[in-house]
Amino acid sequence: MKETHAIRRRKAGQFMDSFRKNRMGMTGAIMLCFFLIMAVAGPLLLPYNAMDFGVADDVFAPPSREHILGQDDMGRDVLRALISGARISLSVGILSTLISMVAGTFLGIVAGYSGGKIDVLMMRFTDVFLVLPWLPLMLILAAVLGSSIWNIILVIGLTSWAGTARVVRAQTLTVKERQFIERARAIGAGNGYIMTRHILPNVFPLVFANTILVSAVAIISETTLSFLGMGDTLHPSWGMMLHYAFESGAASIGAYWFLLPPGLCVVGVVLSFTFLGYAFDEILNPKLKKR
Amino acid sequence: MKSVMEASALHVHFKARGSFIQEIFSNHQKKVKAVDGVNIQIGEGEIFSLVGESGSGKTTVGKALLALEHKTSGSILFNGEEIPSGTGKSSRRFRQKAQMIFQDPYQSLNPRDIVLDIVGEPLVVNNLIKTSAEKRERVIEALGWAGLRPQEEYLYRLPHELSGGQRQRVAIAAALILNPQFIVADEPVSMLDVSIRADILRLMVEMRDRLGISYLFITHDLSLAWLISDRIAIMYLGKIMEIGSSELIVGSSLHPYTQALISVMPLPRVTKNKKRLILKGETPDPIDLPVGCRFNPRCPVVQDICRRQEPELAEVTPGHQVACHFPKKLLVGAP
């Protein structure tokens, strides 16, 4: 409906106004945009591909006019690897965050809304995931499931939902005590309807801010897994680049151009997600709002 | 008069949670008897008021009548049939016939929904409409009943863009949209500005006259109850102390508690030396009710028997029941 859109737009406008004033958020957004453009458009701009092995002289060749970031242990262009790695790293980060968001929100709302035994059971289950050391767990899961990119996404998603579930449950507990929930029950609404139509929209801002922070963690997790050799060799991410750089002794040779770019990119992306997450949290979480 | 809603021997008890240690060592669970044996009948097109202090269980009665609160025992008949408690088909039918208006219009409307969705929600939930044009049409009609005109102007507003009175009208429109037979109005005007109260009350009475809706009007304000209702019941700590037509209750009440309430009713005229019956002390702890009459620690005319035996509601004149061992008028010249 036309007017409904107008309201949505007005609310979005209010959000954008406070977002623009938030310096941390804007910094994060600009940084993230840079990486997104790099991931989406980058591969179209570069003439090299992954099979362009160089001759003996090209191995660990320092930056030159043709290869701005130098060449790697097999004489391939580092910038090309960096750009195609951006795609992998970002999509792994975002997809696994989606899994963790859906799982965490679902469990959090159902546990918080149902209460009683269901709540206790679900939260103990969440606690288990919360206290398990996630790195060894991920390593084991990746080893058992095999290191395809989909498994990595699944593994990261399955190990990172617990925090979201806790936050969502806490917020659900406060929302469900509000009177419009009772009103909904009085007009005959069922539990499923109340959870999706009334609770979800009211916890979503929090979920959103939390999700962005989770994606920062997801990207670090992916980098860690790949660096430790659990990555998908067919889809080389920044973590894989670091892994190869480390394996081939780039550090001892002094080939900084092979080590530094992927490392800085990981730091940059994680930082931008964190900035964004904190900014959203500040804008959307009424308790943190500055008056 | 045909009764629409009829509750008999209604009990609603809540578990009182003590400290952890207490819960381990005490072998009987303590209970708050929020509603402790209440009988009421509400007739067709009748406005029935339930008056009491906070904590007297009046809201719990209202919620129990709508199956929003689980009753411990007793029966609740709606049009002669026991009200359903689950979420089945009969429960849905019941929910369409019996609605609730809440105290706080700032709390009872979802802050993220527009008026069109709030008022139309009962239709959507109960699958009563097919198209959004139909919903819009019905919502506009309901907003008109609730006196929000021109309706188109309100359809796309969010609750925080409305005043308190407008919000309560939106809540009333949402309650009216299903053409209910019975409405529980839980302190519908106590959160509103005094200047709008009369409008909202007038609206409720008008709906009764036009659509024949019966109301259970819950309030702590006896003068409001007197103003709009046909019959009044006075509640104290989960029990009805006195029940009768509003003229009888306000004009010739016999229970000391009712008379204390009446003596502090503000009057629009200056009477010299108006006597007031001020009660001593606080409402007792509902977990440990006093033995005998539950009003005895605060009663100005307490006798020995009141500390031993609990008085039952007894008819003094037709339609006027009092739960007191010594029902009599205490102040001469009270309104």
Side-chain angles (χ1 to χ4, degrees), chain A residues 7 10 180 182-183 193 198, chain B residues 63 108 110 121 156 161:
Chain A
I7 285 160
R10 201 169 64 212
F180 58 84
E182 192 165 33
R183 196 186 78 90
Y193 178 88
H198 288 292
Chain B
K63 286 184 179 168
S108 67
N110 188 340
E121 194 172 28
Y156 300 100
E161 297 167 323

Side-chain angles (χ1 to χ4, degrees), chain A residues 1 3-4 7 10-11 178-180 182-190 193 197-198 201-202 205, chain B residues 63 68 92 95 99 102 104 107-114 118 121-122 125-126 132 156 161 174:
Chain A
M1 211 162 280
E3 290 90 341
T4 326
I7 285 160
R10 201 169 64 212
K11 283 176 107 181
R178 294 176 62 185
Q179 217 166 30
F180 58 84
E182 192 165 33
R183 196 186 78 90
R185 221 173 286 145
I187 59 173
Y193 178 88
R197 272 292 283 108
H198 288 292
N202 281 289
Chain B
K63 286 184 179 168
L68 289 174
R92 291 228 151 166
R95 294 246 179 266
Q99 289 291 318
F102 291 93
D104 187 353
Q107 281 287 325
S108 67
L109 308 177
N110 188 340
R112 289 174 185 277
D113 279 351
I114 55 173
I118 292 170
E121 194 172 28
V125 165
N126 293 297
S132 60
Y156 300 100
E161 297 167 323

Side-chain angles (χ1 to χ4, degrees), chain B residues 123-144:
Chain B
L123 300 172
V124 177
V125 165
N126 293 297
N127 292 322
L128 296 173
I129 40 149
K130 286 178 194 75
T131 63
S132 60
E134 206 181 330
K135 171 174 157 188
R136 193 187 152 98
E137 201 175 292
R138 295 275 306 267
V139 168
I140 285 177
E141 186 188 26
L143 288 176

Side-chain angles (χ1 to χ4, degrees), chain B residues 11-308:
Chain B
H11 290 260
V12 182
H13 296 176
F14 298 111
K15 279 181 198 156
R17 296 199 66 173
S19 69
F20 180 64
I21 304 287
Q22 271 174 344
E23 267 184 29
I24 291 175
F25 290 106
S26 117
N27 41 14
H28 77 282
Q29 181 76 45
K30 288 200 163 172
K31 278 180 186 151
V32 178
K33 294 174 176 170
V35 180
D36 198 14
V38 160
N39 300 298
I40 46 178
Q41 290 96 34
I42 300 167
E44 214 168 41
E46 185 180 32
I47 300 184
F48 184 94
S49 283
L50 208 48
V51 181
E53 295 172 74
S54 36
S56 61
K58 51 195 195 306
T59 300
T60 314
V61 170
K63 286 184 179 168
L65 291 188
L66 296 181
L68 289 174
E69 201 73 79
H70 195 72
K71 64 172 194 277
T72 312
S73 63
S75 83
I76 301 168
L77 302 179
F78 181 65
N79 289 330
E81 278 173 55
E82 187 69 26
I83 58 160
S85 54
T87 48
K89 219 175 191 177
S90 57
S91 167
R92 291 228 151 166
R93 226 176 306 126
F94 167 66
R95 294 246 179 266
Q96 291 172 34
K97 290 277 164 214
Q99 289 291 318
M100 182 148 185
I101 298 169
F102 291 93
Q103 175 176 17
D104 187 353
Y106 295 86
Q107 281 287 325
S108 67
L109 308 177
N110 188 340
R112 289 174 185 277
D113 279 351
I114 55 173
V115 170
L116 175 68
D117 290 333
I118 292 170
V119 178
E121 194 172 28
L123 300 172
V124 177
V125 165
N126 293 297
N127 292 322
L128 296 173
I129 40 149
K130 286 178 194 75
T131 63
S132 60
E134 206 181 330
K135 171 174 157 188
R136 193 187 152 98
E137 201 175 292
R138 295 275 306 267
V139 168
I140 285 177
E141 186 188 26
L143 288 176
W145 289 336
L148 287 169
R149 290 166 212 273
Q151 294 96 316
E152 283 78 6
E153 214 170 274
Y154 294 98
L155 282 181
Y156 300 100
R157 296 231 195 134
L158 290 163
H160 74 256
E161 297 167 323
L162 300 168
S163 71
Q166 286 170 338
R167 282 184 222 205
Q168 198 59 298
R169 280 173 194 270
V170 168
I172 290 174
L176 290 176
I177 200 164
L178 293 175
N179 292 315
Q181 239 186 313
F182 173 66
I183 291 180
V184 172
D186 184 7
E187 306 244 16
V189 295
S190 67
M191 300 295 283
L192 300 181
D193 224 60
V194 178
S195 58
I196 336 169
R197 284 185 185 180
D199 293 342
I200 298 289
L201 292 176
R202 203 173 296 129
L203 175 68
M204 286 174 55
V205 176
E206 197 186 298
M207 285 304 125
R208 189 267 306 262
D209 295 343
R210 276 212 348 241
L211 309 168
I213 299 171
S214 315
Y215 285 98
L216 176 69
F217 183 74
I218 297 168
T219 181
H220 60 262
D221 188 340
L222 190 54
S223 44
L224 278 185
W226 181 37
L227 192 69
I228 74 159
S229 51
D230 303 306
R231 284 197 301 145
I232 296 177
I234 308 286
M235 249 186 121
Y236 184 75
L237 284 175
K239 266 211 146 141
I240 289 179
M241 296 283 115
E242 189 167 9
I243 189 167
S245 72
S246 51
E247 294 80 37
L248 275 176
I249 293 289
V250 177
S252 47
S253 67
L254 296 172
H255 196 286
Y257 179 59
T258 317
Q259 295 178 54
L261 291 181
I262 290 163
S263 77
V264 294
M265 251 166 77
L267 290 172
R269 62 189 121 89
V270 185
T271 35
K272 54 177 179 182
N273 296 333
K274 189 196 164 198
K275 280 187 188 146
R276 290 194 165 172
L277 196 59
I278 306 291
L279 296 176
K280 314 177 291 266
E282 295 278 318
T283 319
D285 183 359
I287 299 173
D288 296 306
L289 286 175
V291 184
C293 175
R294 55 195 67 205
F295 186 56
N296 84 59
R298 302 173 76 191
C299 185
V301 292
V302 62
Q303 306 272 333
D304 263 358
I305 186 174
C306 307
R307 298 201 179 89
R308 278 182 277 119

